[in-house]
Every structure is written in C-alpha cells, then in structure tokens.
C-alpha cells in the first residue's frame, strides 16, 4: 500500500513539474528554435542545390570517345557525360517493345553532350550502357567554345590562313596564338562599335531631333547642324573603314578538326572564344580554367538566345533597378508613416488608411504591373513626351516601358512594407523623448528630423531590407514595365546624361524565366538556370546583409544615446 502511494505521489509530482515547465514557456522556445533551424536548413539546402547544379557547369569535364550501336547502326561520337540514371527493365521494355536482346534488371543510361550541333546534331542524346561498344578518354581531344552553335569537340588536324594550310611544329601552340590574336581584334572592334560609333550615332540622333524641334518652331535654319552632321559622318566613315579592315583580319584564319567518325569540320577562328584539352589538363589547370569560365559568365553578354555566354547586362540591370527602387521607396514610405503617426489625428479615417496599406501588401504583383503600365508608362510617360520630347514623336521616349517606370512600379509594390515597419519604429520611441526635445525649444519639425527619425532609422532599414528582398525577385510586373529578353545597350554609358532612365533593361529573374522555359535547347540551358538563380539569391543576401549591418550599428548607437 505504501509503495502504491509513493508511485502515485511521484506521478503527481511529475505532472506538476510538466505543467510548470509548460507554463514557463520553454516549449515555445524550443519549438521556435526548431522552426528557425528548419528554415536555415531549407535556405542552406536551396543554396547548396543551386550551387551544385549551377557551378559544376563551369568545370572542364572530360570528353569521351564513344562508339555505340543502335538499330544495327554503329556511330562514333565525342561527348561529355552530363547525367547518369538507372531505369528498370519494365520501363525500358515499355519504351522499346521491339527490343529483342536480353535486358538486365536495371538499365543504366547516359545523357551525352556531343556538341557539334551544326555538323552532327543533336548536341544532347541519351545512350544505354548496353549499346556502348567502346568508350575511351583520348588526351588530345579539343573542346571549342564558339560564339554560336554551342560547343564543338574534335581533334585539331590543321590551321588555314586565307584558305591555305600552314605548317607549324607546335600546332596547338599556333592555334592558341591565333585565338588570342583574334580575341584582341574582336575587342578592338567592340570598343570601336560601343565607343566611337555608338557616340557618333547618339550625336547624329540628337542633331536629327534638334532639326525636328526647329521645324516645329518654324525655324528652318540648319546650317550649323548640317556642318556638324557632315563632320560626324566623316568621322563615322573613318571608323567604319577601321572596323571593316579589322573584320577582314578577323576572318582570315580557320581551324580544321576531325570528328569522331572521321569527318573534317572547318571552324573560323573568329567564331572561337577559347579552346582547351580537358583530358590532358592537370587539376590546377582545370581550376584556373574554371575560375576563368566563371568570370566570363559574370562579365560577358549573353549569346545564342541567352543559352550561352554571360549574364552581365542582367546582373547590372538587376542591381541598378534595386538601388533606384530603394532610393524611391524609402522617402515615400517614411513620409507616409510620419504623417500617419506624427501628424494625422488618430481616428476611424486614419485606421481605415492603415487597413488599406496592409491590404496593399497582399495585392498580386501583376496588378501593380498593369497599373504601372497604364499610369506610369502611358499617362505620365506619354505626358512627358508631349511636353518635353515632341520632336521625337511618334516614337516614344518616356512613353514606353523603361528603367524608371520599373523602379517606380516596384517602389509602389513595396511601399506598404516600408510604411508599416517605419510606423512601428516610430511607435516604440518613448513619448518623453519628443516632449524633452520640445521642452528644450526645438520645433516639431526639428524634433522629428533630428531626434525621432534617427532613432527610428533601424526600423526604416528593416522595411528597406524586406522591400529589397521582395523587389529583387519580382518578375511578373517587370515584364510589363521595362524588362526585355535582350537589351542592346546598358542604361549607363558615356553619352550625356549618362544614366538613361528611359531605356529598357535586363533582369536576372526574367532571365531565369526566359532561359528555363523559353529556351529551344533545354538540356544546354539547365545549368545556366541554376547558376543564374544562385547569383540572384546571393545578390539578395549581400544587399540584405549590408542593410542589416548598417541597422545593427544604428541600433547600438541610439541604444547608447538613450541609456
């Protein structure tokens, strides 16, 4: 009996202890910690997935010489093994009902990137392991990155200069020298086109618009403009001749490559960006080429319908748009929050405004895009064209989607976040601080701008962090107000006024959508989708960490001043 009473007493004490532990709030602390840990793990897992699938694309993989037989036909190819996967015998037989050979329980198949899309399509093909007759790794096979038609694989067998074969003891060294010389000429042509020719065209267009402006003002005196135009056209002719001469030098060399099946493929060296022999490279050589490829991805323009080349215009456009959006949304959000908290008389009307602001945060982003197109682009932009650019009509200047309208649309989309965050920061500032400032003789405006706003700056930065995180990844509204698949020029150049807010631009988010879902070559584009998505996530993280660091410093500064 005594033992039963002791057990009952122990159970009662355990229940009391459990109830006290539950009331203490510790379970919620553990639950919150678990949720945070799961969120961090999910974010790190996402970044890891993007990094593995995206960054591996830039590593120089080995190229295999494969001979396989399918449907009684033997084929020889050079290619990289992009994927390996296993399927069951049943799946294989359902896809190949007429296959009459013995099939193992598990069938392995390879996705081979064969390149040579122009000479030996397709450039990606699936091979079953049991179809492969031989597979080797020749040390002298060459990978050629081209300006178009994707990569090519082959054995270097000769170099031609203006159609005549040349003799060289070190054929590979001579090939690399001519590639470097071609790259130098290509850069000179690019500098002339993007620098001198672009500047002359810009000035000629300005002269044309000035003539049109004078015609609208009934002023037909064009002698000064015609003299300037004639001088510009003379300069243009000189530079154009330089470009023609460089282009002729660029196109005089070609290289001959032997494909796996023995055919010879002639490739102009002007179409070759770089070439390497991955099977004969050391680890350090591969590492150097890896970082070179990664840098080219970040600094080059896209090619081949965005499935090749780099993403520099999209990277530049994304960062510039986010910075402009941040500069626009912060004043609007802060002023609105100041009015609601410091000036407006609290009542049902102000409460209704707060409800409307909170509801705006839940409006689908595409609705903001439609509003931006109708209000910013057509209404405001069209009015600006009527008032300040009548000479350019009917071609629009600001009455068309562009960088400024995309930034304003995203500022409108994210302003509710900044308003709510700023108002919460203003609410947390003690009333005694305001009264003390007023008691010392400061005006209300001085109190707000020199005391209240600096103390609320951490909350303002919190709102900006949330705004940047959302705006950097938005795509749907941008498709209506300024983002394009390929922008011929950047919004910033050397022509006055240097920052051209009316120009269209590229964006990483839209680039991911375009490459991932609109690409004609899905297998070739898939690694670029992962790499671009990783870059977009890293940009958002860097921008947020910068704002968070600044916010923490401000919090520490004003915490000390309050104490």
């Amino acid at each position: 009996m005594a033992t039963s009473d002791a057990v009952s007493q122990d159970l009662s004490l355990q229940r009391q202890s459990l109830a006290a532990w539950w009331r203490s709030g510790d379970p919620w602390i553990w639950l919150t910690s678990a949720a945070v840990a799961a969120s961090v793990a999910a974010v790190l897992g996402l970044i890891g997935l993007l990094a593995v699938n995206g960054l591996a694309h830039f590593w120089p993989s080995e190229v295999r010489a494969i001979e396989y037989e399918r449907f009684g036909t033997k084929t020889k190819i050079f290619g990289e093994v992009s994927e390996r996967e296993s399927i069951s015998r049943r799946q294989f037989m359902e896809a190949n009902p007429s296959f009459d050979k013995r099939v193992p329980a598990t069938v392995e198949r390879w996705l081979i990137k064969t390149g040579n899309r122009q000479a030996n399509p397709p450039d990606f093909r699936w091979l079953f392991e049991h179809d492969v007759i031989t597979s080797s790794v020749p040390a002298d096979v060459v990978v050629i990155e081209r300006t178009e038609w994707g990569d090519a694989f082959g054995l270097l067998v000769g170099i031609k200069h203006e159609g005549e074969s040349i003799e060289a003891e070190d054929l590979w060294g001579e090939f690399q020298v001519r590639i470097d010389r071609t790259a130098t000429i290509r850069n000179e042509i690019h500098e002339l086109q993007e620098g001198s020719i672009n500047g002359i065209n810009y000035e000629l267009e300005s002269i044309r618009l000035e003539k049109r402006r004078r015609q609208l003002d009934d002023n037909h005196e064009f002698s000064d403009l015609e003299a300037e135009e004639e001088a510009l056209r003379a300069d243009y002719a000189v530079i154009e001749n330089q470009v023609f001469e460089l282009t002729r030098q660029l196109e005089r060399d070609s290289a001959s490559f032997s494909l796996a099946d023995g055919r010879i493929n002639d490739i102009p060296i002007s179409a070759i960006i770089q070439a390497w022999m991955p099977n004969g490279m050391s680890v350090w050589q591969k590492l150097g080429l890896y970082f070179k490829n990664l840098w080219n991805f970040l600094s080059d323009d896209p090619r081949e319908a965005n499935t090749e080349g780099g993403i520099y215009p999209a990277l530049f456009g994304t960062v510039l748009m986010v910075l402009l959006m941040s500069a626009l949304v912060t004043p609007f959000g802060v002023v609105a929050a100041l009015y609601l908290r410091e000036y407006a008389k609290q009542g049902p009307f102000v409460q209704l405004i707060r409800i409307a602001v909170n509801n705006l945060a839940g409006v689908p982003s595409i609705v903001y895009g439609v509003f931006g197109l109708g209000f910013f682009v057509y209404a405001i932009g069209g009015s600006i064209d009527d008032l300040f650019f009548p000479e350019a009509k009917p071609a629009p200047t600001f009455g068309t989607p562009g960088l400024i309208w995309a930034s304003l649309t995203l500022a409108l989309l994210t302003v509710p976040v900044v308003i709510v965050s700023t108002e919460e920061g203003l609410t947390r500032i003690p009333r005694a601080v305001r009264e003390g400032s007023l008691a010392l003789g400061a005006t209300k405006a001085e109190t707000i701008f020199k005391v209240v706003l600096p103390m609320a700056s951490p909350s303002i930065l919190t709102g900006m962090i949330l705004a940047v995180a959302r705006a950097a990844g938005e795509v749907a509204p941008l498709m209506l107000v300024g983002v394009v698949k390929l922008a011929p020029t950047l919004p910033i150049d050397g022509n006055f006024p240097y920052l051209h807010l009316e120009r269209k631009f590229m964006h990483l988010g839209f680039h991911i959508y375009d490459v991932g879902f609109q690409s004609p070559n899905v297998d070739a584009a898939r690694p670029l989708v992962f790499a671009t998505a990783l870059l977009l996530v890293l940009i958002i993280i860097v921008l947020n960490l910068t704002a968070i660091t600044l916010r923490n410093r401000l919090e520490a500064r004003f915490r000390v001043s309050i104490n």
Side-chain angles (χ1 to χ4, degrees), residues 108-172:
E108 182 173 325
R109 64 176 186 170
W110 305 340
L111 178 62
I112 307 296
K113 177 184 178 182
T114 64
N116 303 319
R117 185 190 312 162
Q118 187 178 15
N120 189 25
D123 56 345
F124 281 88
R125 63 187 73 183
W126 284 100
L127 297 183
F128 291 103
E129 187 178 21
H130 58 259
D131 288 338
V132 176
I133 301 173
T134 60
S135 177
S136 61
V137 185
D140 54 349
V141 66
V142 181
V143 179
I144 307 104
E145 181 183 357
R146 298 182 289 183
T147 56
E148 57 183 3
W149 297 105
D151 293 343
F153 304 134
L155 304 176
L156 179 63
V157 295
I159 299 175
K160 297 179 180 179
H161 178 76
E162 295 182 349
E164 299 292 333
S165 298
I166 64 171
E167 299 293 336
E169 295 182 1
D170 183 7
L171 194 61
W172 176 252

Side-chain angles (χ1 to χ4, degrees), residues 344-418:
K345 182 179 180 181
Q346 304 302 311
F349 181 70
V350 173
Q351 188 63 26
L352 183 64
I353 293 177
R354 289 196 177 95
I355 293 173
V357 169
N358 291 329
N359 288 336
L360 282 176
V363 174
S365 59
I366 189 65
V367 175
Y368 285 97
V370 174
F371 175 81
L373 180 65
F375 180 71
F376 291 134
V377 177
Y378 292 150
I380 298 181
S383 300
I384 292 176
D385 286 350
D386 292 337
L387 292 174
F388 301 103
F389 302 98
E391 67 280 359
K393 298 182 71 175
T397 302
F398 281 91
T400 185
L403 175 63
I404 183 62
W405 308 132
S407 302
L408 280 171
T409 300
L410 289 188
L412 186 64
L413 185 148
T414 56
V415 73
V417 178
V418 179

Side-chain angles (χ1 to χ4, degrees), residues 191-260:
E191 290 177 0
L192 289 175
Q193 290 176 337
E194 297 298 322
S196 302
I197 291 181
N198 186 40
I200 291 175
N201 285 333
Y202 187 83
E203 293 183 19
L204 288 173
E205 178 64 13
S206 300
I207 291 174
R208 186 189 71 82
L209 294 177
E210 179 61 26
K211 285 183 178 180
R212 175 62 178 164
R213 185 181 298 111
R214 293 185 183 183
Q215 288 177 350
L216 294 176
D217 295 338
D218 292 330
N219 182 359
H220 299 282
E221 177 57 40
F222 302 143
S223 57
D224 56 333
L225 297 177
E226 290 174 349
E228 185 178 356
E229 182 179 8
E230 184 177 355
L232 289 172
R233 293 193 181 279
D235 294 339
Y236 185 93
V238 172
I239 299 173
E240 189 178 34
N241 289 332
Q242 295 178 6
V243 172
F244 286 155
E245 176 60 25
L246 290 173
T247 302
R248 190 190 66 80
Q249 298 178 19
L250 190 68
E251 297 174 348
R252 62 188 179 182
D253 294 335
S254 65
S256 300
F257 295 90
S258 174
L259 304 183

Side-chain angles (χ1 to χ4, degrees), residues 139 174 185 205 464 473:
E174 180 67 21
I185 297 174
E205 178 64 13
M464 186 184 299

